[in-house]
Amino acid sequence: MSLLGLPQGLQKDKAPGLSLKRQLLLWLLLPQLVLWLVGGLLAYRIALNYAEKGIDQSLTQSVRSLARQVKPMGSGLLVDFPRAARDIIEQDPTDRVSYMVSSPPGQFVLGNSMLPDPLLDVRVEPGEPLIYEALLDKKPVRVALLEVNYGEADAPQRLRVQVAKSLAVQQRIARELVADMLLPLLLLGALLGIVVYIGVGRGLQPLNRLEALLGDRTQRSFTTLSPIELTQAPQEVHSLAEAVNHMLAAVRRSLGQEKRFINDAAHQLRTPLAGLISQTELALTERDPQALQDRLTKVHSGALRSAHLVHQLLSLARTEADIQQKPLDIAALAREVAREWTPRAIAAGIDLGFEGDDKLITQGEKLLLREALSNLIDNALHYAGRGAAVTLRVQSQEGQAIVEVEDNGPGLSEEDLPRMFERFWRASEVPGGCGLGLSIVAEIALRHGGSAQALSVLPQGLCVRLSLPAAKCRPVSESI
């Protein structure tokens, strides 16, 4: 048997999924990795943006400085740009800076004649630098363009100055910035991963203890399982342990009921079955037809008693199972049960009647309440005696649905009343009973959140009262 009481063959074999620890680590560390990668991309873009702004500012200053070195002279231009300055600008091959002076715009004067012009649809304002990207020798460059006007008013001319700078430095600066930022973040992420791994392991220790406690209990008998106690554990684990304790209590209760039922059945059936065996053995040796008939009559009576006992034992076991309560009219159910028992009451010479409310709603399980009412009437008809009167009464009283079966038979003494609902206890030697009927009634009342009580009736008689919580009471007086 497994922990839940199911045979191993009925449990489905399923491949275990990821452990809780791995799932927690996956959900905690994977987002960190994703965020680190996204952060790296964003940092790279930001670094490129700032490097681009630095290059644009440098190019703007360079193009303005170069434009100031070009001075109009008569009908020509004087370019005051020494060879040494040009060598300094172009000396770094990785950070190549090119320039070109053209006038009118597009006609080469000085510098690198391969510098590309801006797009045709771009409007260039004199005195305002224009920044754009282009390809020089199949390599991306950033170009600053500045146009200035010179010459006489009647013969205006325009000068274009362009300075281009490679983007290799921009990309190198961006990579260095990203590396400087992401490397510490990577180290911090690794440290955080270690802390998360240790924290998850420590956090799951209560579950490991719970597993160990459950594994220890699987080695014991279910009837001796004790509740799980976790003194130090998170609230969720305490809730889980409480749920497991409820399950273990239900298992103990179920197996205890099963054991008690087996013990009761074995104890109570032993005597009548022994009697049946004895009578049948004697009947087999009888030669007198009348004596054989007497033996068979006793066998039949014993079989009836055994059948009645088995029925009562099964009813008792059914009352101990879980029930689902639904709204029902207890008054209508009582009238229906009274009508079913009327033929037997007439045969026994007993006046069986019903009185009380026309409708009384309570919460309950119809089959069990019918069993309780049948046992109450059966008990009254069995012990009240011929000529007695038995009354089944249903009424509402202080939020309770009260069901009473009252008779004017011999009744019981005050000393015997508290023992009426004990199992297998009988106050009378009248044949036919087994001492389980009223204990079943008490158990059914308890399962419905009510109670059963035995009261003496003056001048003589007995009243068994069943109290149930009333869901909705609409009493209408009726007497039959």
Side-chain angles (χ1 to χ4, degrees):
M1 297 291 286
S2 66
L3 180 60
L4 299 180
L6 293 176
Q8 293 290 348
L10 296 180
Q11 296 180 345
K12 295 182 179 180
D13 294 330
K14 294 184 178 180
L18 287 176
S19 65
L20 180 59
K21 183 176 182 179
R22 291 184 178 179
Q23 292 187 43
L24 289 175
L25 291 175
L26 183 64
W27 284 105
L28 289 174
L29 298 181
L30 184 60
Q32 293 183 36
L33 178 60
V34 173
L35 290 176
W36 187 83
L37 294 176
V38 173
L41 293 176
L42 291 177
Y44 184 72
R45 291 298 306 168
I46 293 173
L48 282 177
N49 186 44
Y50 278 101
E52 183 178 286
K53 289 181 179 179
I55 291 177
D56 290 348
Q57 185 177 5
S58 175
L59 287 174
T60 301
Q61 293 176 353
S62 299
V63 77
R64 287 185 183 277
S65 298
L66 182 58
R68 286 194 294 267
Q69 302 303 317
V70 182
K71 301 179 179 64
M73 179 176 289
S75 60
L77 294 172
L78 173 62
V79 181
D80 186 11
F81 196 52
R83 178 68 182 180
R86 284 180 284 172
D87 292 340
I88 293 174
I89 291 177
E90 299 178 353
Q91 69 177 351
D92 187 358
T94 62
D95 186 17
R96 183 180 179 185
V97 178
S98 302
Y99 65 94
M100 185 178 77
V101 179
S102 59
S103 178
Q107 293 187 5
F108 175 76
V109 174
L110 180 68
N112 187 345
S113 61
M114 301 301 295
L115 282 184
D117 293 329
L119 298 177
L120 296 178
D121 57 349
V122 176
R123 180 179 177 83
V124 181
E125 295 291 339
E128 294 294 331
L130 172 67
I131 305 296
Y132 61 95
E133 289 187 2
L135 292 177
L136 179 61
D137 296 334
K138 298 182 180 181
K139 295 181 180 179
V141 293
R142 193 88 171 159
V143 183
L145 181 149
L146 179 65
E147 292 186 356
V148 294
N149 294 325
Y150 70 97
E152 303 297 334
D154 56 347
Q157 297 187 55
R158 180 172 292 186
L159 173 70
R160 172 180 292 181
V161 179
Q162 293 170 275
V163 178
K165 191 171 186 179
S166 172
L167 294 180
V169 175
Q170 175 198 20
Q171 296 174 355
R172 185 180 71 243
I173 293 174
R175 287 194 297 268
E176 291 175 353
L177 287 175
V178 171
D180 291 341
M181 288 187 297
L182 291 187
L183 182 58
L185 290 178
L186 179 60
L187 296 177
L188 289 176
L191 180 60
L192 180 60
I194 295 174
V195 173
V196 168
Y197 182 84
I198 297 174
V200 169
R202 290 181 61 86
L204 293 178
Q205 284 182 358
L207 288 179
N208 295 332
R209 291 198 298 269
L210 179 61
E211 180 183 5
L213 290 173
L214 290 176
D216 179 61
R217 278 157 176 75
T218 57
Q219 307 300 324
R220 308 181 189 176
S221 171
F222 281 109
T223 56
T224 59
L225 288 180
S226 58
I228 296 173
E229 296 182 2
L230 292 176
T231 56
Q232 294 181 350
Q235 181 180 357
E236 293 78 6
V237 179
H238 273 295
S239 302
L240 177 60
E242 184 177 355
V244 172
N245 285 336
H246 287 311
M247 181 195 68
L248 293 178
V251 171
R252 289 197 307 271
R253 184 171 58 252
S254 176
L255 293 178
Q257 292 169 357
E258 179 181 348
K259 182 177 180 180
R260 186 167 58 251
F261 171 77
I262 293 174
N263 292 338
D264 291 343
H267 175 72
Q268 295 300 319
L269 290 175
R270 185 183 298 113
T271 300
L273 289 178
L276 287 175
I277 293 173
S278 177
Q279 292 296 331
T280 53
E281 288 176 349
L282 293 174
L284 291 174
T285 60
E286 285 290 349
R287 296 294 181 265
D288 184 8
Q290 184 60 40
L292 180 60
Q293 182 69 26
D294 295 339
R295 297 293 182 191
L296 292 177
T297 301
K298 292 180 180 180
V299 169
H300 180 260
S301 300
L304 290 178
R305 286 194 301 271
S306 298
H308 178 68
L309 177 59
V310 170
H311 173 75
Q312 293 291 71
L313 287 172
L314 292 175
S315 298
L316 185 61
R318 188 165 55 245
T319 62
E320 295 174 342
D322 292 334
I323 62 173
Q324 294 184 351
Q325 300 187 23
K326 298 179 181 179
L328 61 89
D329 186 357
I330 189 65
L333 180 62
R335 287 194 299 270
E336 181 181 343
V337 174
R339 283 193 292 268
E340 293 174 356
W341 282 86
T342 298
R344 178 175 169 182
I346 295 175
I350 296 176
D351 181 17
L352 175 62
F354 172 85
E355 64 181 34
D357 298 338
D358 179 53
K359 186 173 185 179
L360 185 55
I361 304 299
T362 187
Q363 291 283 341
E365 210 283 327
K366 186 175 182 180
L367 183 62
L368 291 182
L369 290 178
R370 176 186 292 274
E371 184 71 22
L373 293 174
S374 297
N375 282 347
L376 289 175
I377 296 176
D378 181 36
N379 186 78
L381 295 182
H382 190 79
Y383 295 105
R386 182 171 292 273
V390 176
T391 302
L392 175 59
R393 186 181 300 111
V394 177
Q395 59 186 348
S396 174
Q397 181 178 338
E398 298 180 355
Q400 296 280 320
I402 305 299
V403 180
E404 296 178 338
V405 175
E406 180 180 324
D407 65 75
N408 58 357
L412 292 176
S413 64
E414 294 296 331
E415 293 79 11
D416 290 337
L417 284 177
R419 302 191 59 189
M420 275 198 61
F421 301 104
E422 295 181 7
R423 293 186 179 186
F424 305 112
W425 182 84
R426 299 184 63 200
S428 173
E429 296 300 328
V430 177
C434 61
L436 282 176
L438 292 182
S439 63
I440 293 174
V441 172
E443 185 67 26
I444 292 175
L446 182 64
R447 300 288 288 175
H448 284 78
S451 61
Q453 185 181 10
L455 305 170
S456 294
V457 177
L458 296 177
Q460 70 174 21
L462 180 68
C463 176
V464 180
R465 175 178 297 172
L466 190 63
S467 300
L468 302 172
K472 182 179 179 181
C473 303
R474 296 193 305 178
V476 178
S477 180
E478 179 187 36
S479 178
I480 60 175

